[in-house]
Amino acid sequence: MARGSSPLGIAFGFLGSGLLESAAMRVVDLDRDMSDVIPTGTTPDSEYLFARMTERTLALAEAGPGRRVLDVASGVGQDALALAADGAWVVAAEPSKRMTDMALLFAAEKPDPRPRWVRSWADGLPFADGAFDAVVCKGAIDHFDRPDEAIGEMARVTADTGRVVLAIANFESLACRMGRLVSHVREEWLGHPSARGRRGYDVPSDHFTRYELSLMREQASKHLILEVVEGISLAWGAPGWSRATARMSPTVARWALEACDGLAARVPTWADVIVLAGRPHRGAAATSR
Ligand SMILES: C[S@@+](CC[C@H](N)C(=O)[O-])C[C@H]1O[C@@H](n2cnc3c(N)ncnc32)[C@H](O)[C@@H]1O
């Protein structure tokens, strides 16, 4: 999906000239698959991280009967379906046609109540001010080309007493720092050749922003009164951790992952994922939009 970034862009779009369109349109890669984001193989640490991130994000939305919840950048819709299953009235907003088509396919097999599916960019949400009790945006802000505006929009469509919940990968996690250190020692000190392909601590090519705790706090605080800043999981992607958890008995692996998660909750700057939640604030940043 591409869209005009200005009246000129829209006019060029209507003219239908490929050359003019490509000069004037804002194009974001939305037709990729998710293989770069969600690991295809399942290891105990990956399973734990993704399950815990989802569990905590959705819990903070406090979905239930009578609650209106918006899932921004809802992807293939699994979280919107879970929120609807909890009894909330749910809207799933997602700009990608491919993702929306997949969401519709998955949803077709699910019982009612189901979410309403809307094609929309995060930085121009087609909803009234204060329309939702909670807005969630999980694992997606780093894909946005206008994250600041997107958070502003999420705050705008959230009721004064409502809550925006953001879950974002931390590229300054303990695991990323350890990974970089090990690569440095191997390559610079021991003379090993550089590893091929993307390393776990490298930002994927479809990310616009490399987030870490202070940037997340700074961007979110412009639009939200932060009530929760929490870390999820520790050591995901650290050298040898995946293999180590796979070799442990399921009980020991679970214990180790929970212990790491407990530490991450207290020291979010080390965590693999950071969850922030807060009420919208209608201060200067909000009114200057
Ligand atoms: C990694 S997926 C996350 C999907 C889902 N929230 C989840 O947890 O599975 C990122 C999503 O962001 C969407 N996206 C990318 N740029 C966007 C933008 N500017 N506004 C809204 N969504 C966007 C993509 O289409 C994609 O579905």
Side-chain angles (χ1 to χ4, degrees):
M1 183 175 169
R3 63 179 171 177
S5 54
S6 63
L8 193 64
I10 294 164
F12 281 170
F14 280 124
L15 281 175
S17 151
L19 185 64
L20 288 176
E21 269 181 32
S22 61
M25 301 289 270
R26 168 182 167 205
V27 178
V28 182
D29 175 17
L30 295 170
D31 281 340
R32 64 186 173 71
D33 65 27
M34 301 275 284
S35 55
D36 205 31
V37 184
I38 297 178
T40 41
T42 53
T43 53
D45 59 332
S46 286
E47 272 180 23
Y48 184 87
L49 166 64
F50 286 98
R52 182 85 185 108
M53 176 182 179
T54 303
E55 176 191 59
R56 199 61 197 127
T57 306
L58 301 194
L60 285 166
E62 295 175 352
R67 296 270 289 175
R68 300 157 299 165
V69 183
L70 171 66
D71 183 5
V72 171
S74 49
V76 296
Q78 76 287 355
D79 296 336
L81 284 164
L83 290 162
D86 283 344
W89 186 86
V90 180
V91 177
E94 165 60 50
S96 159
K97 178 168 173 356
R98 180 181 287 188
M99 291 290 189
T100 306
D101 287 348
M102 283 164 72
L104 289 169
L105 207 65
F106 294 147
E109 297 163 5
K110 304 283 181 199
D112 284 333
R114 280 178 270 195
R116 287 91 194 136
W117 309 97
V118 173
R119 297 273 305 280
S120 165
W121 298 94
D123 52 284
L125 295 170
F127 309 111
D129 295 359
F132 295 94
D133 300 305
V135 173
V136 299
C137 182
K138 192 191 102 209
I141 286 180
D142 35 18
H143 294 252
F144 298 175
D145 54 339
R146 295 177 181 167
D148 189 11
E149 290 83 347
I151 301 170
E153 275 292 89
M154 293 182 220
R156 179 185 67 76
V157 303
T158 302
D160 289 347
T161 52
R163 174 179 268 182
V164 177
V165 186
L166 310 169
I168 315 167
N170 176 19
F171 279 88
E172 276 302 325
S173 65
L174 190 63
C176 286
R177 294 180 213 194
M178 283 167 64
R180 278 195 290 271
L181 180 68
V182 169
S183 296
H184 182 80
V185 169
R186 285 172 55 83
E187 291 162 23
E188 302 298 321
W189 295 6
L190 304 177
H192 289 234
S194 308
R196 287 171 169 222
R198 187 177 81 81
R199 271 87 56 108
Y201 54 79
D202 292 330
V203 177
S205 58
D206 57 359
H207 284 203
F208 277 85
T209 311
R210 180 186 181 283
Y211 278 104
E212 36 71 35
L213 182 61
S214 58
L215 180 58
M216 290 176 208
R217 264 186 193 281
E218 185 191 316
Q219 263 184 11
S221 319
K222 279 196 205 168
H223 308 282
L224 306 174
I225 299 163
L226 287 177
E227 297 162 331
V228 176
V229 178
E230 248 177 47
I232 302 276
S233 163
L234 194 81
W236 188 71
W241 181 237
S242 226
R243 233 173 309 134
T245 58
R247 283 191 187 139
M248 294 170 192
S249 77
T251 314
V252 173
R254 181 86 199 170
W255 178 86
L257 291 162
E258 280 176 0
C260 286
D261 188 56
L263 184 56
R266 282 168 197 80
V267 193
T269 189
W270 288 352
D272 301 323
V273 166
I274 294 171
V275 177
L276 304 100
R279 283 181 289 123
H281 87 66
R282 314 291 186 201
T287 48
S288 65
R289 284 197 309 275

